Amino acid sequence: MEVVQIFDTNIFRLDGKIALVTGGAHGIGQAMASALARAGATIVFNEINQENMEKGLRAYEAEGITAKGYVCDVTDEKAVANMVAQIRKDVGIIDILVNNAGIIKRIPMLDMTADDFRQVVDINLNGPFIMAKAVIPGMIEKGHGKIINICSMMSELGRETVSGYAASKGGLKMLTRNICSEFGHANIQCNGIGPGYIATPQTAPLREPQADGSPHPFDSFIVAKTPANRWGTPGDLQGPVVFLASQASDFVNGHILYVDGGILAYIGKQP
């Protein structure tokens, strides 16, 4: 007779783990890092420049979280290798990598230059590839690891003006599955989170009421397309990232967890 294991909620704890969150100084990156910290992880993060990194340190300090910040461009392979080596000296081998750093350029395809397209793909897809390459050897050495790629609904859907972003996030979905395929045997789980439309300072202009007090057209569009009938919040991503970073997800690999309020399941209301 098969013995059923007793469920232990401690499998969600991250005590003793070191988590690197790229672009972790603000927005959803900071929200996810904060959740990992409250689950017990030691947080390290990078930003593209000193100013953003220092802002991040102050934000974590205000939350009572001790974090270490590094200035590093995720598309620079040598700089990433040096950062990962420095993190190892400062705090230890990375257990959890959250590939959060990314950009979007909303430009109609016929107006978008190849250089713009390359930049989006370089940061959103090549960056996670470079980061994963840098941390996987240490994870193999430790005998375990968690890589969480921040994908998007645009990993599945297209939309006007985001050809570079959608192409990069679709590629990131497949990179996630390939890392799973290549390193699952080493007890490394690589999964993705696909956020829906999240209410952040960056999206605030899309949610501001019009001069006559009516909702912004894009706000109305998103709420109508979302069965949850609202925008997501950074807090909505905290539970999923802790789950995918923890022992609770040890048999979950190559999966994209869409945190979108149901948009991808919904065809929309009949006119």
Side-chain angles (χ1 to χ4, degrees):
M1 181 178 177
E2 183 178 356
V3 177
V4 178
Q5 294 179 328
I6 297 174
F7 181 73
D8 182 357
T9 57
N10 286 325
I11 63 174
F12 292 96
R13 293 294 306 171
L14 301 174
D15 303 285
K17 304 297 184 184
I18 298 166
L20 168 59
V21 181
T22 66
H26 59 276
I28 67 172
Q30 185 189 350
M32 291 187 293
S34 296
L36 297 174
R38 297 188 190 288
T42 297
I43 300 301
V44 294
F45 69 96
N46 82 294
E47 274 295 337
I48 191 67
N49 57 48
Q50 186 74 18
E51 181 183 4
N52 287 350
M53 188 272 286
E54 290 178 357
K55 285 181 180 178
L57 288 176
R58 290 194 294 270
Y60 286 115
E61 185 178 359
E63 287 192 54
I65 295 171
T66 300
K68 289 189 71 68
Y70 300 82
V71 176
C72 180
D73 180 348
V74 297
T75 69
D76 184 333
E77 193 165 11
K78 183 176 180 181
V80 166
N82 289 340
M83 177 181 68
V84 170
Q86 189 62 50
I87 291 170
R88 181 169 184 155
K89 290 179 182 178
D90 292 343
V91 291
I93 298 174
I94 294 162
D95 299 281
I96 301 158
L97 168 65
V98 181
N99 276 316
N100 168 73
I103 63 168
I104 185 169
K105 292 193 173 187
R106 295 181 176 89
I107 304 172
M109 183 173 171
L110 295 184
D111 297 330
M112 191 173 202
T113 66
D115 284 343
D116 281 331
F117 189 92
R118 288 190 190 99
Q119 184 186 23
V120 174
V121 172
D122 200 25
I123 295 171
N124 292 357
L125 180 55
N126 200 28
F129 169 76
I130 290 170
M131 290 300 312
K133 271 189 66 179
V135 305
I136 284 172
M139 292 177 173
I140 292 173
E141 182 181 339
K142 291 190 84 169
H144 66 263
K146 303 280 187 176
I147 299 174
I148 303 166
N149 292 326
I150 305 306
C151 299
S152 168
M153 291 187 305
M154 298 299 113
S155 301
E156 300 289 344
L157 298 173
R159 190 170 177 272
E160 301 85 351
T161 77
V162 293
S163 57
Y165 184 79
S168 67
K169 293 298 186 176
L172 186 57
K173 174 183 69 175
M174 294 312 301
L175 177 63
T176 300
R177 291 175 177 173
N178 198 78
I179 293 172
C180 156
S181 301
E182 196 161 347
F183 298 101
H185 70 90
N187 194 28
I188 294 172
Q189 291 84 50
C190 182
N191 294 289
I193 293 176
Y197 284 91
I198 306 297
T200 65
Q202 288 78 12
T203 61
L206 300 174
R207 292 176 281 108
E208 291 178 355
Q210 302 294 282
D212 63 0
S214 63
H216 190 291
F218 192 79
D219 184 20
S220 298
F221 167 70
I222 292 305
V223 171
K225 289 290 293 181
T226 307
N229 202 42
R230 64 174 177 87
W231 288 62
T233 69
D236 288 319
L237 301 170
Q238 292 183 313
V241 77
V242 170
F243 165 65
L244 291 177
S246 73
Q247 184 185 347
S249 62
D250 279 356
F251 204 57
V252 178
N253 212 350
H255 177 72
I256 312 298
L257 175 55
Y258 291 100
V259 186
D260 65 356
I263 289 179
L264 289 175
Y266 187 44
I267 195 171
K269 294 180 181 178
Q270 182 177 345

